[in-house]
Amino acid sequence: MASPSDPVAAVSQQMEAFFTAQRAQTGSYGAEAGRMMDAAAAAVTGGKRLRARFCITGYRAVAEASGPSPAPIPDAVLGAAGALEVFHAAALVHDDIIDNSDTRRGRPSAHRRIESAHEAAGWSGDAVAFGRAGALLLGDLLVALSDDLLERALSGASPEIAASTRSQYGVMRRDVTIGQFLDIAEESAHATAPDTEHAERALRVASLKSARYSVEQPLLIGARLAGADEAQLDALSRFGHPVGMAFQLRDDVLGVFGDASETGKPAGDDLREGKRTVLIAYARETLPASTRAVVDELLGDPALDDAQVASLQRTIQDTGALARVEQLIAAYTLDADRSLAGARLGHAAVSELRDLARAAAVRSS
């Protein structure tokens, strides 16, 4: 199948066809299984397709390095990009369970939708527990389906490229899972770690959970599908990691100061969840002990009202933490831009990478 003018749209088309086939293959399993497959298909709808974009652009950056004309995006790349998006859907389903989030992209989160389905059907038992258990299994199903989609994408690749891509994909899955654990661990471990280490620890979480996962690894997966050499992989890695850091730091800012109508999540959600981000670490560094104790007591309280959220927002801003994070985002973006200078990569793709970097760092959702 040839790539249309918009390869990201082609990724969505591939995923739709994939889930249509999955529904057909499981159609005899009963109505409840059908609802599970419908929930899986719904989980991959919407979103920015960020990982797919970086995967495709990583491929193009290498494939176009030896000639000015862009080649059509092969199905293997579109399939791998789709696998990344399906894996990301799994990560979001599990993330919402961990954070006890009610919404995702302006809609009820997966465990809340499954809970509501239990109630609507009039089933016996605890609907909340059923929703969480069902969403946990939904996330597991999506992880398995992402593997299936990746393997299908690699079926026509050379053994060397398939092995290289599969290995890079494995690194991505490992790092984001460890990063997710470190994220939840930090909500407890911060109490025993020196205050001077909080920012460094938060940056480590951001690197594993987001920077490598959201930007660097998708770029490298795409590049490996194009047969990238070590110098090209190095340049894309040195670009992708700081862009990913800027992306996560912007997420941290939006998690505290974002507009719910744009982010799809309640304002100050990270405060209610007790996220120990760089923004919080910077704020705590300059607070007197008494105020720091109040902030620590409020962070992670799911019942924070709007007035308490606003008070914490003012405190964070008054410490200069927000300004410091904005400076850090700008520095990461500049580092990423410099890493592409002189790299043996396609000029059109490099221009697109720079556009993606700016979009990751400067956004409102």
Side-chain angles (χ1 to χ4, degrees):
M1 180 177 70
S3 168
S5 58
D6 182 359
V8 176
V11 171
S12 295
Q13 290 168 11
Q14 282 219 358
M15 287 194 293
E16 288 172 12
F18 177 75
F19 278 98
T20 297
Q22 291 294 321
R23 283 193 185 98
Q25 292 167 18
T26 59
S28 63
Y29 296 178
E32 290 80 10
R35 292 191 189 102
M36 179 66 122
M37 289 307 306
D38 288 344
V44 302
T45 61
K48 304 178 187 69
R49 299 283 187 253
L50 181 77
R51 289 148 197 85
R53 291 180 186 277
F54 278 112
C55 179
I56 291 167
T57 312
Y59 168 83
R60 287 183 50 230
V62 175
E64 297 170 11
S66 57
S69 299
I73 306 299
D75 278 359
V77 179
L78 299 177
L84 287 168
E85 291 296 329
V86 175
F87 182 87
H88 184 55
L92 294 182
V93 168
H94 283 160
D95 199 45
D96 286 341
I97 297 171
I98 292 168
D99 294 338
N100 202 29
S101 296
D102 293 329
T103 60
R104 169 66 61 180
R105 295 170 178 165
R107 300 177 299 172
S109 50
H111 62 281
R112 294 303 185 205
R113 292 200 306 273
I114 296 172
E115 174 188 330
S116 296
H118 178 286
E119 293 171 340
W123 290 352
S124 63
D126 186 341
V128 173
F130 180 84
R132 294 178 70 85
L136 177 64
L137 293 169
L138 173 62
D140 291 347
L141 175 63
L142 287 164
V143 170
L145 292 175
S146 75
D147 281 352
D148 292 345
L149 190 51
L150 179 69
E151 289 305 318
R152 191 176 76 170
L154 295 177
S155 62
S158 71
E160 295 78 14
I161 284 181
S164 176
T165 303
R166 196 177 288 116
S167 176
Q168 195 76 59
Y169 197 84
V171 169
M172 178 208 70
R173 291 186 305 182
R174 180 199 66 196
D175 285 359
V176 71
T177 305
I178 292 174
Q180 179 68 74
F181 175 75
L182 293 178
D183 189 30
I184 63 170
E186 202 59 31
E187 294 172 23
S188 301
H190 77 275
T192 60
D195 290 343
T196 54
E197 294 181 6
H198 284 200
E200 180 184 351
R201 293 167 69 95
L203 287 170
R204 180 183 65 179
V205 171
S207 173
L208 286 168
K209 183 185 174 185
S210 187
R212 300 184 193 185
Y213 164 64
S214 299
V215 181
E216 183 182 2
Q217 297 296 343
L219 272 175
L220 296 180
I221 288 167
R224 288 190 181 278
L225 283 165
D229 60 30
E230 289 304 316
Q232 290 168 319
L233 291 169
D234 179 65
L236 289 170
S237 182
R238 287 186 293 108
F239 168 82
H241 189 261
V243 170
M245 292 298 289
F247 177 82
Q248 181 56 48
L249 292 177
R250 178 58 61 204
D251 252 13
D252 293 346
V253 170
L254 293 174
V256 174
F257 296 99
D259 183 338
S261 66
E262 297 195 50
T263 64
K265 300 193 66 102
D269 218 31
D270 278 8
L271 300 174
R272 294 186 179 92
E273 293 171 8
K275 295 293 185 184
R276 292 284 166 169
T277 63
V278 178
L279 186 65
I280 297 300
Y282 283 168
R284 291 181 78 262
E285 285 178 4
T286 62
L287 289 172
S290 57
T291 308
R292 189 185 307 133
V294 172
V295 168
D296 285 342
E297 184 177 350
L298 291 174
L299 278 173
D301 182 354
L304 285 180
D305 59 31
D306 291 345
Q308 289 171 312
V309 168
S311 176
L312 282 170
Q313 289 171 332
R314 284 193 299 273
T315 298
I316 292 167
Q317 194 158 9
D318 289 347
T319 63
L322 178 59
R324 287 181 68 186
V325 170
E326 292 290 355
Q327 290 169 0
L328 194 53
I329 291 172
Y332 277 128
T333 305
L334 182 60
D335 285 347
D337 189 70
R338 288 172 173 167
S339 72
L340 295 175
R344 191 169 57 82
L345 301 168
H347 295 305
V350 164
S351 178
E352 186 173 340
L353 285 174
R354 289 191 166 114
D355 289 342
L356 286 169
R358 285 189 289 271
V362 183
R363 58 194 170 88
S364 57
S365 66

